[in-house]
Amino acid sequence: MFEDKIFYDFLKNKNFTGAVGYMHQCVPDYLCKWYALNVYENISDLEAKKRRESDELRFTSLANKQNWFDSRFKQNDPFDMALYEVDYEKLKEEGHDT
């Protein structure tokens, strides 16, 4: 488990290599992404269709061992995409919303 005090002690002593090493040591072997499935009660047929399509995308991603992200502007945490190296120019060229 990452402890701020240990990390900041490395920084305070100007041991940046140690700080980065400690950070890497604390990264878990596996990360999980949770997928919420939609509810289909008391909604219009059109809304149900949209939700089914959304769920289908989730299932397809899991089956293909892929992951997908919402646009960085629609995420609720400004640092959600900070750990990923994303080629935004290539995505734009391919017509994706970035």
Side-chain angles (χ1 to χ4, degrees), residues 5 8 10 14-16 26 53 71 74 78-79 88 94:
K5 183 184 179 333
Y8 289 120
F10 280 117
K14 298 186 190 284
N15 183 351
F16 303 114
C26 293
E53 288 170 356
S71 164
K74 295 180 183 176
F79 298 105
Y88 291 106
E94 293 176 356

Side-chain angles (χ1 to χ4, degrees), residues 7-69:
F7 180 72
Y8 289 120
D9 283 345
F10 280 117
L11 295 180
K12 186 170 70 177
N13 294 316
K14 298 186 190 284
N15 183 351
F16 303 114
T17 304
V20 170
Y22 177 69
M23 226 172 31
H24 284 284
Q25 173 188 328
C26 293
V27 173
D29 292 333
Y30 297 95
L31 298 175
C32 297
K33 177 162 177 63
W34 297 97
Y35 289 97
L37 298 178
N38 289 294
V39 175
Y40 298 96
E41 297 173 0
N42 303 318
I43 57 173
S44 69
D45 289 343
L46 180 61
E47 182 61 27
K49 181 178 185 256
K50 287 181 187 176
R51 291 183 186 188
R52 276 189 206 90
E53 288 170 356
S54 176
D55 284 347
E56 190 61 37
L57 177 60
R58 290 178 175 103
F59 287 126
T60 301
S61 295
L62 289 170
N64 293 328
K65 297 182 181 181
Q66 297 174 333
N67 209 345
W68 60 273
F69 301 94

